[in-house]
């Protein structure tokens, strides 16, 4: 799935990630890859559901919460982004995405 993502083949990345998720049902990594592939294909609703499943498996992974924020809208987006920020307040991605996600500036 990672190779397919690097090759910019999101459909293949999604298929491979879903297969990996069946082989490693305890892992959130395959779900992260599947969600990112779904986002790349414009399947935002599906990606959001995938990221929700991923954060249920690994609620301390700030990147999963960040991905969930990207795939979400409204309050759900802000809640997920804030959770990512609390888990890793120094992540450069958080600062870079503040304006895009409507979080304003400065840490809370």
């Amino acid at each position: 799935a990672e190779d397919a993502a690097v090759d910019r083949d999101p459909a293949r990345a999604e298929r491979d990630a879903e297969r990996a998720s069946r082989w490693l049902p305890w892992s959130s990594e395959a779900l992260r890859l599947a969600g990112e592939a779904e986002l790349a294909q414009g399947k935002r609703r599906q990606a959001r559901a995938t990221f929700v499943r991923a954060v249920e498996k690994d609620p301390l992974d700030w990147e999963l919460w960040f991905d969930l924020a990207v795939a979400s809208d409204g309050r759900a987006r802000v809640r997920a982004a804030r959770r990512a920020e609390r888990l890793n307040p120094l992540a450069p991605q958080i600062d870079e995405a503040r304006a895009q996600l409507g979080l304003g500036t400065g840490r809370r």
Side-chain angles (χ1 to χ4, degrees):
E2 287 178 351
D3 289 344
V6 168
D7 292 343
R8 297 182 186 217
D9 187 348
R12 191 181 86 199
E14 181 182 5
R15 279 192 314 274
D16 291 351
E18 288 172 357
R19 188 171 342 144
S21 184
R22 288 191 298 275
W23 291 340
L24 304 167
W26 59 87
S27 174
S28 63
E29 182 63 15
L31 292 172
R32 181 186 64 78
L33 292 169
E36 290 175 356
E38 290 160 353
L39 274 179
Q41 296 175 83
K43 301 177 181 178
R44 230 174 129 182
R45 182 179 291 162
Q46 188 175 340
R48 184 180 189 298
T50 300
F51 290 131
V52 166
R53 288 178 30 226
V55 298
E56 287 171 352
K57 289 181 185 289
D58 191 356
L60 299 179
D61 185 330
W62 76 270
E63 289 176 299
L64 292 175
W65 285 101
F66 186 81
D67 286 342
L68 178 59
V70 171
S72 299
D73 293 312
R75 285 190 218 187
R77 172 178 271 200
V78 172
R79 277 193 309 270
R82 292 273 186 235
R83 181 70 182 266
E85 182 179 34
R86 280 193 305 275
L87 289 168
N88 190 359
L90 301 178
Q93 296 90 333
I94 299 290
D95 284 337
E96 293 169 8
R98 283 184 192 286
Q100 179 185 6
L101 296 177
L103 297 178
T105 59
R107 298 191 196 324
R108 291 184 191 230

